[in-house]
PDB file of all heavy atoms in Angstrom:
ATOM      1  N   LEU V 492      -9.725  33.957   0.602  1.00 97.00           N
ATOM      2  CA  LEU V 492      -9.849  32.671  -0.063  1.00 97.00           C
ATOM      3  C   LEU V 492     -10.826  31.730   0.732  1.00 97.00           C
ATOM      4  O   LEU V 492     -10.782  31.953   1.905  1.00 97.00           O
ATOM      5  CB  LEU V 492      -8.513  31.883  -0.394  1.00 97.00           C
ATOM      6  CG  LEU V 492      -7.411  32.616  -1.030  1.00 97.00           C
ATOM      7  CD1 LEU V 492      -6.219  31.678  -1.037  1.00 97.00           C
ATOM      8  CD2 LEU V 492      -7.841  33.155  -2.364  1.00 97.00           C
ATOM      9  N   ARG V 493     -11.532  30.993   0.122  1.00 96.00           N
ATOM     10  CA  ARG V 493     -12.260  29.898   0.737  1.00 96.00           C
ATOM     11  C   ARG V 493     -11.693  28.620   0.385  1.00 96.00           C
ATOM     12  O   ARG V 493     -11.563  28.290  -0.712  1.00 96.00           O
ATOM     13  CB  ARG V 493     -13.879  29.911   0.423  1.00 96.00           C
ATOM     14  CG  ARG V 493     -14.333  31.325   0.772  1.00 96.00           C
ATOM     15  CD  ARG V 493     -15.892  31.308   0.250  1.00 96.00           C
ATOM     16  NE  ARG V 493     -16.703  30.572   1.127  1.00 96.00           N
ATOM     17  CZ  ARG V 493     -17.426  29.521   0.709  1.00 96.00           C
ATOM     18  NH1 ARG V 493     -17.357  29.037  -0.445  1.00 96.00           N
ATOM     19  NH2 ARG V 493     -18.264  28.940   1.572  1.00 96.00           N
ATOM     20  N   VAL V 494     -11.169  27.791   1.450  1.00 95.00           N
ATOM     21  CA  VAL V 494     -10.445  26.508   1.104  1.00 95.00           C
ATOM     22  C   VAL V 494     -11.144  25.384   1.852  1.00 95.00           C
ATOM     23  O   VAL V 494     -11.229  25.354   3.034  1.00 95.00           O
ATOM     24  CB  VAL V 494      -9.001  26.618   1.536  1.00 95.00           C
ATOM     25  CG1 VAL V 494      -8.262  25.293   1.353  1.00 95.00           C
ATOM     26  CG2 VAL V 494      -8.288  27.832   0.625  1.00 95.00           C
ATOM     27  N   GLY V 495     -11.775  24.533   1.077  1.00 93.00           N
ATOM     28  CA  GLY V 495     -12.435  23.393   1.756  1.00 93.00           C
ATOM     29  C   GLY V 495     -11.476  22.410   2.269  1.00 93.00           C
ATOM     30  O   GLY V 495     -10.451  22.217   1.760  1.00 93.00           O
ATOM     31  N   ILE V 496     -11.965  21.539   3.232  1.00 90.00           N
ATOM     32  CA  ILE V 496     -11.070  20.502   3.808  1.00 90.00           C
ATOM     33  C   ILE V 496     -10.627  19.409   2.895  1.00 90.00           C
ATOM     34  O   ILE V 496      -9.671  18.730   3.126  1.00 90.00           O
ATOM     35  CB  ILE V 496     -11.570  20.101   5.189  1.00 90.00           C
ATOM     36  CG1 ILE V 496     -13.000  19.561   5.032  1.00 90.00           C
ATOM     37  CG2 ILE V 496     -11.570  21.162   6.223  1.00 90.00           C
ATOM     38  CD1 ILE V 496     -13.375  18.570   6.188  1.00 90.00           C
ATOM     39  N   VAL V 497     -11.497  19.186   1.847  1.00 88.00           N
ATOM     40  CA  VAL V 497     -11.116  18.075   0.947  1.00 88.00           C
ATOM     41  C   VAL V 497     -10.799  18.751  -0.473  1.00 88.00           C
ATOM     42  O   VAL V 497     -10.802  17.997  -1.371  1.00 88.00           O
ATOM     43  CB  VAL V 497     -12.171  17.012   0.745  1.00 88.00           C
ATOM     44  CG1 VAL V 497     -12.246  16.056   1.963  1.00 88.00           C
ATOM     45  CG2 VAL V 497     -13.553  17.570   0.442  1.00 88.00           C
ATOM     46  N   SER V 498     -10.367  19.980  -0.462  1.00 90.00           N
ATOM     47  CA  SER V 498      -9.948  20.593  -1.745  1.00 90.00           C
ATOM     48  C   SER V 498      -8.654  20.109  -2.190  1.00 90.00           C
ATOM     49  O   SER V 498      -8.223  20.369  -3.336  1.00 90.00           O
ATOM     50  CB  SER V 498      -9.939  22.102  -1.571  1.00 90.00           C
ATOM     51  OG  SER V 498      -8.987  22.528  -0.716  1.00 90.00           O
ATOM     52  N   GLY V 499      -7.856  19.495  -1.270  1.00 87.00           N
ATOM     53  CA  GLY V 499      -6.570  19.131  -1.638  1.00 87.00           C
ATOM     54  C   GLY V 499      -5.493  20.135  -1.435  1.00 87.00           C
ATOM     55  O   GLY V 499      -4.272  19.993  -1.858  1.00 87.00           O
ATOM     56  N   VAL V 500      -5.905  21.273  -0.939  1.00 91.00           N
ATOM     57  CA  VAL V 500      -4.956  22.409  -0.716  1.00 91.00           C
ATOM     58  C   VAL V 500      -4.645  22.662   0.785  1.00 91.00           C
ATOM     59  O   VAL V 500      -5.679  22.769   1.493  1.00 91.00           O
ATOM     60  CB  VAL V 500      -5.590  23.565  -1.452  1.00 91.00           C
ATOM     61  CG1 VAL V 500      -4.893  24.927  -1.114  1.00 91.00           C
ATOM     62  CG2 VAL V 500      -5.544  23.410  -2.994  1.00 91.00           C
ATOM     63  N   VAL V 501      -3.476  22.755   1.089  1.00 89.00           N
ATOM     64  CA  VAL V 501      -3.142  23.048   2.522  1.00 89.00           C
ATOM     65  C   VAL V 501      -2.950  24.527   2.812  1.00 89.00           C
ATOM     66  O   VAL V 501      -2.196  25.205   2.121  1.00 89.00           O
ATOM     67  CB  VAL V 501      -1.837  22.310   2.912  1.00 89.00           C
ATOM     68  CG1 VAL V 501      -1.476  22.468   4.354  1.00 89.00           C
ATOM     69  CG2 VAL V 501      -1.855  20.804   2.513  1.00 89.00           C
ATOM     70  N   PRO V 502      -3.817  25.118   3.696  1.00 91.00           N
ATOM     71  CA  PRO V 502      -3.688  26.484   3.884  1.00 91.00           C
ATOM     72  C   PRO V 502      -2.434  27.114   4.223  1.00 91.00           C
ATOM     73  O   PRO V 502      -1.911  28.087   3.717  1.00 91.00           O
ATOM     74  CB  PRO V 502      -4.610  26.746   5.167  1.00 91.00           C
ATOM     75  CG  PRO V 502      -5.627  25.665   5.030  1.00 91.00           C
ATOM     76  CD  PRO V 502      -4.838  24.424   4.458  1.00 91.00           C
ATOM     77  N   GLU V 503      -1.605  26.337   5.025  1.00 92.00           N
ATOM     78  CA  GLU V 503      -0.216  26.749   5.335  1.00 92.00           C
ATOM     79  C   GLU V 503       0.702  26.892   4.115  1.00 92.00           C
ATOM     80  O   GLU V 503       1.467  27.836   4.026  1.00 92.00           O
ATOM     81  CB  GLU V 503       0.432  25.821   6.411  1.00 92.00           C
ATOM     82  CG  GLU V 503      -0.215  25.882   7.876  1.00 92.00           C
ATOM     83  CD  GLU V 503      -1.460  25.154   8.033  1.00 92.00           C
ATOM     84  OE1 GLU V 503      -1.974  24.552   6.955  1.00 92.00           O
ATOM     85  OE2 GLU V 503      -2.009  25.284   9.134  1.00 92.00           O
ATOM     86  N   ALA V 504       0.545  25.957   3.301  1.00 93.00           N
ATOM     87  CA  ALA V 504       1.291  25.964   2.024  1.00 93.00           C
ATOM     88  C   ALA V 504       0.836  27.224   1.156  1.00 93.00           C
ATOM     89  O   ALA V 504       1.716  27.637   0.423  1.00 93.00           O
ATOM     90  CB  ALA V 504       1.244  24.684   1.265  1.00 93.00           C
ATOM     91  N   MET V 505      -0.443  27.428   1.102  1.00 95.00           N
ATOM     92  CA  MET V 505      -0.928  28.580   0.397  1.00 95.00           C
ATOM     93  C   MET V 505      -0.378  29.923   0.905  1.00 95.00           C
ATOM     94  O   MET V 505      -0.034  30.805   0.129  1.00 95.00           O
ATOM     95  CB  MET V 505      -2.501  28.692   0.456  1.00 95.00           C
ATOM     96  CG  MET V 505      -3.156  27.552  -0.310  1.00 95.00           C
ATOM     97  SD  MET V 505      -2.979  27.690  -2.030  1.00 95.00           S
ATOM     98  CE  MET V 505      -4.425  28.851  -2.341  1.00 95.00           C
ATOM     99  N   GLN V 506      -0.275  29.959   2.270  1.00 96.00           N
ATOM    100  CA  GLN V 506       0.249  31.211   2.874  1.00 96.00           C
ATOM    101  C   GLN V 506       1.801  31.328   2.533  1.00 96.00           C
ATOM    102  O   GLN V 506       2.202  32.433   2.103  1.00 96.00           O
ATOM    103  CB  GLN V 506       0.161  31.091   4.389  1.00 96.00           C
ATOM    104  CG  GLN V 506       0.830  32.273   5.144  1.00 96.00           C
ATOM    105  CD  GLN V 506       0.058  33.602   4.836  1.00 96.00           C
ATOM    106  OE1 GLN V 506      -1.295  33.608   5.080  1.00 96.00           O
ATOM    107  NE2 GLN V 506       0.683  34.763   4.603  1.00 96.00           N
ATOM    108  N   PHE V 507       2.417  30.262   2.449  1.00 95.00           N
ATOM    109  CA  PHE V 507       3.881  30.271   2.030  1.00 95.00           C
ATOM    110  C   PHE V 507       4.045  30.696   0.514  1.00 95.00           C
ATOM    111  O   PHE V 507       4.905  31.603   0.243  1.00 95.00           O
ATOM    112  CB  PHE V 507       4.518  28.917   2.274  1.00 95.00           C
ATOM    113  CG  PHE V 507       5.896  28.757   1.812  1.00 95.00           C
ATOM    114  CD1 PHE V 507       6.978  29.251   2.460  1.00 95.00           C
ATOM    115  CD2 PHE V 507       6.176  28.163   0.575  1.00 95.00           C
ATOM    116  CE1 PHE V 507       8.347  29.233   2.066  1.00 95.00           C
ATOM    117  CE2 PHE V 507       7.500  28.149   0.016  1.00 95.00           C
ATOM    118  CZ  PHE V 507       8.549  28.553   0.787  1.00 95.00           C
ATOM    119  N   ALA V 508       3.198  30.156  -0.225  1.00 96.00           N
ATOM    120  CA  ALA V 508       3.371  30.445  -1.620  1.00 96.00           C
ATOM    121  C   ALA V 508       3.005  31.912  -1.859  1.00 96.00           C
ATOM    122  O   ALA V 508       3.482  32.643  -2.627  1.00 96.00           O
ATOM    123  CB  ALA V 508       2.321  29.627  -2.391  1.00 96.00           C
ATOM    124  N   PHE V 509       1.953  32.446  -1.026  1.00 97.00           N
ATOM    125  CA  PHE V 509       1.553  33.792  -1.213  1.00 97.00           C
ATOM    126  C   PHE V 509       2.815  34.667  -0.806  1.00 97.00           C
ATOM    127  O   PHE V 509       2.989  35.650  -1.550  1.00 97.00           O
ATOM    128  CB  PHE V 509       0.355  34.024  -0.227  1.00 97.00           C
ATOM    129  CG  PHE V 509      -0.026  35.455  -0.171  1.00 97.00           C
ATOM    130  CD1 PHE V 509      -0.716  36.019  -1.335  1.00 97.00           C
ATOM    131  CD2 PHE V 509       0.040  36.188   0.873  1.00 97.00           C
ATOM    132  CE1 PHE V 509      -1.132  37.411  -1.270  1.00 97.00           C
ATOM    133  CE2 PHE V 509      -0.378  37.604   0.929  1.00 97.00           C
ATOM    134  CZ  PHE V 509      -0.956  38.144  -0.173  1.00 97.00           C
ATOM    135  N   ASP V 510       3.422  34.399   0.283  1.00 96.00           N
ATOM    136  CA  ASP V 510       4.486  35.296   0.835  1.00 96.00           C
ATOM    137  C   ASP V 510       5.632  35.422  -0.317  1.00 96.00           C
ATOM    138  O   ASP V 510       6.230  36.396  -0.556  1.00 96.00           O
ATOM    139  CB  ASP V 510       5.030  34.667   2.011  1.00 96.00           C
ATOM    140  CG  ASP V 510       4.064  34.937   3.166  1.00 96.00           C
ATOM    141  OD1 ASP V 510       3.122  35.763   3.042  1.00 96.00           O
ATOM    142  OD2 ASP V 510       4.254  34.171   4.246  1.00 96.00           O
ATOM    143  N   VAL V 511       5.720  34.269  -1.016  1.00 95.00           N
ATOM    144  CA  VAL V 511       6.818  34.318  -2.152  1.00 95.00           C
ATOM    145  C   VAL V 511       6.380  35.078  -3.350  1.00 95.00           C
ATOM    146  O   VAL V 511       7.026  35.833  -4.012  1.00 95.00           O
ATOM    147  CB  VAL V 511       7.190  32.800  -2.348  1.00 95.00           C
ATOM    148  CG1 VAL V 511       8.127  32.748  -3.693  1.00 95.00           C
ATOM    149  CG2 VAL V 511       7.811  32.110  -1.332  1.00 95.00           C
ATOM    150  N   LEU V 512       5.104  34.768  -3.752  1.00 97.00           N
ATOM    151  CA  LEU V 512       4.568  35.291  -5.061  1.00 97.00           C
ATOM    152  C   LEU V 512       4.077  36.591  -5.119  1.00 97.00           C
ATOM    153  O   LEU V 512       3.992  37.170  -6.136  1.00 97.00           O
ATOM    154  CB  LEU V 512       3.572  34.277  -5.619  1.00 97.00           C
ATOM    155  CG  LEU V 512       4.114  32.811  -5.820  1.00 97.00           C
ATOM    156  CD1 LEU V 512       2.819  31.931  -6.042  1.00 97.00           C
ATOM    157  CD2 LEU V 512       5.007  32.699  -6.981  1.00 97.00           C
TER     158      LEU V 512
END
Side-chain angles (χ1 to χ4, degrees):
Chain V
L492 307 180
R493 300 175 78 241
V494 175
I496 56 165
V497 283
S498 66
V500 167
V501 180
E503 287 79 0
M505 288 293 274
Q506 179 68 51
F507 174 79
F509 176 71
D510 290 340
V511 173
L512 297 169

